[in-house]
Amino acid sequence: MAEEEDYSSLPLTDRWVHKVWKVRKQAYEEAAQQFEKTPDEYDPAFRPFVQDPGLWKSAAADSNVAAQQEGLAALCAFLKFGSRDGALRARQNAVPPIVEKCLSSTRAATKASALEALLLFIEVDVPGPVIEDILPVLSNKQPKVVAAAVNALTQIYHNYGCKIADPKPVLKLLPKLFSHADKNVRAETTSLAVEFYRWLRDAMKPMFWNDLKPTQQNDLEAQFEKVKAEGAPKQERLLRSQQAEKERAPAGGGDDEYAEDDGGDAEEPGELDAFDLAEPQDVLGKLPKDFFDNLGSSKWKERKEALEALYALVNVPRIKESDYGEINRCLAKCMKDANIAVVTQAAQCIEALAKGLRKGYAKYRSTVMQPIMERLKEKKQTVADALGAALDAVFLTTDLTECLEDITAYLVHKNPQVKEGTMKFLVRCLRTTRDVPSKQEIASIVESAKKLLAESSETLRSGGAEILGTIMKIIGERAMNPHIDGLDDIRKTKIKEFYDKAEVKAKDKPKPPPPAARAPPGGAAKKPGPGGPKKGPPARLMKPAAAAAAPPPAPEPAPAPLRRHGRDRPASSACPSLAWASPPPPMEEEEEAEEPASPPPARPGLRPGLGRGGLAGRSLAKPAAPAMPAEPPSPPRTTPTFSAIDRAELEELRMANERLLKQLDDARHDRQKLMSEIQELKNQNATLIEDHTRDVLSIKAKETQLVRAKSDAEAAEQANERLKRELNRLKQALAKAEALNAQLSAGGTPGSPGGLGFRAMSPTFNDPAVAVSGARSHRMSMASTLSEEREAMDPGAGLPPHHPLARVSPDLRYSGSNASSGRASPARGYRREVSLEEKEPPLMRGSAVDGYGGRPDSRTSQGSGAGQSLSGLGRPQSTASATSSAAGGQANSGMESWKRAAEVTSQLRARIEQMRARQASREGDHGDLSAAMARANGRRI
């Protein structure tokens, strides 16, 4: 007990954060009681919690569930009875722990208090900050926390509606919530989606519907069918600001019927739709690069495919604002296309663009409307429907004033189909417009409709009557009577039928008259009392002038303008208009009425006579009892305001009003001209921008080509340098071969070390002795293979023409291939020929030459003497040794060795010249060719 007494003596804020939960619980309960007993929101009991809003964070996150429940109850009392400033300070500290720990509590009272606290936070200010604090909890790892947060969102939108609480942030997260692993989360998400459908209907589907599974879509559709039978939802809880407005409304204008009507109509445009919920989509950034090229193609299928690609991009709820002038010009051009499929698709694109841009599309109206109306001559119904839908979408982005000039121009078109389509479009415009047309516009529409009544086609005549009936529905029968006075009864009956059927959104309501004029005549004796002294002195000052300017014929012309003016005024002003005919007598009666005020009972008897009589009634009243002057005290007090000077001033005001109206019309026409000029300048600017973009792109493309050309030139120069080095190497090899040839020609005898046998230098076996024997006379001469004709026609090579070895002689191809079978090879036939000739003088292997005139091997050039063999021709070693052993007996073959060497040298020169001519086109083959030439010169690569 002593401890409890010590705890109770502590300040409330200290007990609020005490380590003992019972102490905290008692502090929460005591705070709630104090809040309920406060007289107003400025009570000192709220001050500690306003100065230290972190106290609410500890209360909402209390570790003890019993204390937490009482802490939430105290928070609700604080929000209910406290100030808005204190609630805003506590919101950022209290909402996160409430959402994370309190909404998913096992105690029902805790959950109810937590939800009530969130709703009170919204009631104090706005729902946005609270919803922003709830959204991060939807990614919590605990499913029960996520489900509780989704349920809280459902309750928020159920109580405050989607007009007060913005649904867009939550709609984006619905697909993620529907794919949650926990079934309770999915069930709560379904309830949230149904709640959204109560407020938004099908406008919410574009935000998330395509991301759901088909089974989920079917389940939601079944739930939506139940909601469709319900009425329109209403906001169940009001914000503090709405409550204040509701309290002020009866005091401000509770007896004003016009204010109630205006307030009822003002709520209609506030409904949310898909455009308000969707995010703007970028269309120009996704447009194909070849769109304009395909749209200008000569093939209608390519034009249609380009328009289909554009329609897929623009068929979204909302489009990002940008410059769509070029696209609309192309679509307007498509209206003249010979293919109706292209026309239909272009009309659908215009409709989607207008719906996606809304008011942002108004500047393109003049570009597309006239081409569409010109194409209304198409008789196919599908095309006409597409064109009509496009016109309706364009009209919703503008108003009737902007479109009326084009409409009236095409109502007199020479084509009946265009007339009919324009007439139907005008009827739809009159039904959907919310602005009442001006008098000039009504006169223009009525004149065009009367012309349609005289058409030979029944459809056009009925259309004219429907236009007039719709106009009558907007402005009323009384205002329409002067326009249809000259028509016959049959046409009037037809117009009346359409008037009864017409449904319009714009209705010409009479403006509320001034408060003084709306006062009933019966109460005029009381209400003008305070105003009488204000208007009395001017009346007395104007009395002499009025009396001097009031001859007997003056009363006759006055009633005419007054009655004409009386049409525009309320009925309560009819009585003063009758008194305008004789203003001086009532002023004299007013002066007389001030002296004898004794006989009031005689007023009702003479009031009608006074209204009718004028001077006659006044003269009869003077000799009678003094009751006559006292009759008209209250009505004449308003008459001095309608003196001759006032009537002149009124006429001046009328003339000034007419001048202002005329200036307004001139200003409107000037504005239209300026807008058209601005549009033309914008179009020119767009064209210049497009041309500039094309120039920049072409410059960049040419710069890219130039860079590529430079890189190709550098690569070609490098290849040229490589070929030059190869050519220099070949020249050196040729010089060495020529030197060797000179050495061989100077050697003399075949037995000398420099001598070279016939078979070693000749790539073919062409010995006359063997030719006589006829053993191998059918073989081809290898000398002819070194010529250009043998190179072009090599039937046994078996290689493709572009292969490097295909351009080299067969001896070079098969040189060094000892393992080859040699079948169908001239080199193998040559080797066989040499090996079979036992009597042929062999050449010494020590001075063999690889290829055609390659340098001799230094290791074998010092060997035994005269006989030399060509190891590069690929002969077997046994054949080479046999030939080398028989080299000493052939003296005549050594004599002809210089001739063969000279022939080989000349062939090599011709070969090098051909290589120079083909080095530019055959850069890839120089490696294999150099390898072959190296083998021909005795190199081993």
Side-chain angles (χ1 to χ4, degrees), residues 8 15 27 39 63-64 217 255 269 283 409 449 462 493 529 622 694 696 714 728 746 759 774 817 829 859 874 890 940:
S8 60
R15 287 181 286 151
S63 58
N64 186 272
Q217 293 180 356
D255 57 346
V283 173
S462 299
T493 304
K622 283 184 179 180
R694 290 177 181 174
V696 171
E714 292 176 358
N728 293 333
R759 296 183 186 275
S817 60
R859 294 174 295 178
Q890 297 295 334
R940 299 301 182 185

Side-chain angles (χ1 to χ4, degrees), residues 526-849:
K526 296 180 180 180
K527 291 185 179 180
K534 296 180 181 178
K535 296 183 179 180
R540 292 188 180 95
L541 292 175
M542 291 186 295
K543 176 184 175 183
E556 297 181 359
L562 294 173
R563 289 171 187 166
R564 180 189 59 180
H565 181 62
R567 294 181 180 178
D568 297 335
R569 295 180 58 83
S572 60
S573 61
C575 182
S577 64
L578 295 175
W580 290 352
S582 56
M587 285 186 287
E588 295 178 358
E589 291 178 81
E590 184 179 358
E591 294 177 355
E592 296 174 357
E594 293 177 359
E595 299 174 357
S598 56
R603 293 177 185 175
L606 294 177
R607 185 175 181 180
L610 179 65
R612 290 172 179 257
L615 293 174
R618 183 176 59 85
S619 60
L620 292 176
K622 283 184 179 180
M628 289 182 60
E631 294 173 0
S634 57
R637 291 180 181 177
T638 59
T639 54
T641 58
F642 301 100
S643 61
I645 298 176
D646 294 337
R647 288 197 298 272
E649 185 178 357
L650 180 61
E651 292 297 329
E652 292 179 359
L653 291 176
R654 288 177 181 173
M655 295 175 62
N657 187 22
E658 292 177 358
R659 286 196 302 269
L660 290 176
L661 290 176
K662 186 176 180 181
Q663 292 177 2
L664 181 62
D665 292 337
D666 296 340
R668 186 181 292 111
H669 290 305
D670 294 341
R671 178 178 174 275
Q672 292 177 354
K673 292 180 181 179
L674 292 175
M675 291 298 293
S676 61
E677 292 178 0
I678 291 172
Q679 185 62 36
E680 291 178 359
L681 292 176
K682 287 183 178 179
N683 296 339
Q684 294 176 4
N685 188 22
T687 305
L688 293 176
I689 291 174
E690 182 181 359
D691 295 340
H692 176 67
T693 305
R694 290 177 181 174
D695 295 339
V696 171
L697 292 177
S698 62
I699 290 172
K700 289 183 178 179
K702 290 180 180 179
E703 288 178 355
T704 304
Q705 294 176 0
L706 182 59
V707 172
R708 291 179 180 175
K710 286 181 178 179
S711 61
D712 294 342
E714 292 176 358
E717 289 178 358
Q718 293 176 1
N720 191 17
E721 291 295 333
R722 289 196 299 270
L723 291 176
K724 284 182 179 180
R725 290 194 297 270
E726 185 66 24
L727 184 59
N728 293 333
R729 191 178 58 79
L730 292 177
K731 286 181 179 181
Q732 293 175 2
L734 179 60
K736 292 179 181 179
E738 290 177 352
L740 177 61
N741 185 20
Q743 184 181 358
L744 291 175
S745 61
T749 62
S752 63
L756 184 63
F758 167 75
R759 296 183 186 275
M761 293 302 299
S762 176
T764 58
F765 185 72
N766 201 12
D767 193 3
V770 180
V772 173
S773 64
R776 297 292 186 268
S777 60
H778 65 284
R779 295 189 180 275
M780 299 174 62
S781 175
M782 292 304 292
S784 63
T785 61
L786 297 174
S787 64
E788 285 297 316
E789 296 178 356
R790 185 67 184 89
E791 182 185 0
M793 300 174 64
D794 190 359
L799 295 171
H802 62 276
H803 196 279
L805 295 180
R807 304 187 185 94
V808 185
S809 62
D811 291 339
L812 297 180
R813 270 187 250 138
Y814 295 97
S815 62
S817 60
N818 298 330
S820 176
S821 63
R823 186 176 299 172
S825 171
R828 178 173 174 79
Y830 169 66
R831 290 194 295 272
R832 285 184 181 178
E833 204 63 44
V834 174
S835 64
L836 291 175
E837 290 294 334
E838 298 294 340
K839 296 179 181 181
E840 193 71 27
L843 298 177
M844 294 303 292
R845 186 172 180 152
S847 61
V849 180

Side-chain angles (χ1 to χ4, degrees), residues 31-44:
Q33 293 175 2
Q34 290 181 3
F35 295 152
E36 292 177 357
K37 295 178 181 179
T38 54
D40 54 22
E41 59 185 18
Y42 304 105
D43 192 271

Side-chain angles (χ1 to χ4, degrees), residues 892-912:
N892 55 351
S893 62
M895 297 297 292
E896 297 179 357
S897 62
W898 65 273
K899 295 181 180 181
R900 292 299 178 184
E903 183 181 356
V904 171
T905 302
S906 63
Q907 291 174 356
L908 280 173
R909 287 178 178 173
R911 190 72 176 176
I912 290 171

Side-chain angles (χ1 to χ4, degrees), residues 7-24:
Y7 292 151
S8 60
S9 63
L10 293 175
L12 181 62
T13 55
D14 294 342
R15 287 181 286 151
W16 193 277
V17 293
H18 202 274
K19 61 181 179 180
V20 180
W21 69 269
K22 290 185 178 180
V23 178
R24 298 195 302 270

Side-chain angles (χ1 to χ4, degrees), residues 28 30-31 53 69 110 122 174 243 383 412 447 491 514 526 576 587 591 644 667 698 716 746 792 810 901:
Y28 299 154
E30 182 179 346
Q69 177 179 341
T110 302
I122 294 174
L174 286 183
Q243 294 174 9
V383 184
V412 294
E447 187 66 24
R491 292 175 177 173
K526 296 180 180 180
M587 285 186 287
E591 294 177 355
S698 62

